[in-house]
Amino acid sequence: MPDCIFCQIIEGKLPCAKVYEDDLVISFLDINPVNTGHTLVVPKSHYVSLFDTPPDLLQACIEVSQKVARAVFKGTGASGLNIIQNNFRSAGQLIDHIHFHLVPRNMHDGFFTSWPGKPYPSGELEKTLKKIKAEL
Ligand code: 5GP
Ligand code: ZN
């Protein structure tokens, strides 16, 4: 995909701080990290989101994420790590080439520790469950 920044990195047309690479997946440091060592895991083929990426490629991404996350965790001396994967603008996706964020975490690092969860209004859980299950 010519206009895609990550495709240009994969093709070597743009530089990156490469952490890992194999036939299917590349991993490099995020240029604008939440915390030091924030790393991206990206399939080498251009797919936009979780929804259009083939399952075998997702599997490869998760396997690489596990391998690289171990290294990020140990290498940065972090005490925690989030894997985050954003789909579409409303979920914070800025680069339309699927990727997984590996974010090393420490206590009081200023990133989130919990999100603003709220209980369902009466009857809403059951309705929502029905709608989701109907799509499976
Ligand atoms: P998204 O918001 O799409 O889930 O995340 C995109 C991520 O890509 C952001 O964290 C951003 O800092 C990172 N990013 C954007 N452009 C570049 C780039 O040219 N090189 C690298 N290494 N990371 C980038
Ligand atoms: Zn791309």
Side-chain angles (χ1 to χ4, degrees):
M1 191 66 58
D3 291 342
C4 173
I5 288 173
F6 286 177
C7 281
Q8 290 177 49
I9 288 174
I10 289 158
E11 289 163 20
K13 293 178 183 158
L14 284 176
C16 74
K18 196 192 299 177
V19 173
Y20 174 86
E21 179 176 24
D22 62 28
D23 288 349
L24 297 175
V25 182
I26 188 169
S27 177
F28 48 85
L29 296 184
D30 195 298
I31 204 167
N32 196 16
V34 170
N35 283 332
T36 299
H38 178 170
T39 301
L40 302 174
V41 174
V42 185
K44 287 184 171 176
S45 311
H46 183 95
Y47 293 98
V48 174
S49 76
L50 182 72
F51 304 119
D52 63 335
T53 306
D56 55 341
L57 193 52
L58 286 175
Q59 183 177 335
C61 288
I62 285 296
E63 287 176 6
V64 170
S65 294
Q66 184 189 44
K67 182 185 180 75
V68 174
R70 282 188 177 126
V72 168
F73 187 66
K74 283 190 173 176
T76 62
S79 58
L81 185 137
N82 291 113
I83 294 189
I84 300 165
Q85 194 272 312
N86 299 326
N87 297 285
F88 312 133
R89 292 289 175 276
S90 52
Q93 183 177 14
L94 295 173
I95 305 282
D96 292 336
H97 182 136
I98 185 176
H99 52 279
F100 295 77
H101 296 259
L102 312 180
V103 183
R105 299 296 309 277
N106 285 295
M107 296 302 282
H108 314 300
D109 63 7
F111 200 25
F112 75 95
T113 44
S114 65
W115 48 60
K118 46 197 178 302
Y120 282 101
S122 175
E124 203 56 39
L125 182 148
E126 293 77 8
K127 264 202 283 184
T128 304
L129 180 64
K130 209 170 159 190
K131 282 189 209 166
I132 293 172
K133 287 179 80 169
E135 298 293 338
L136 285 175

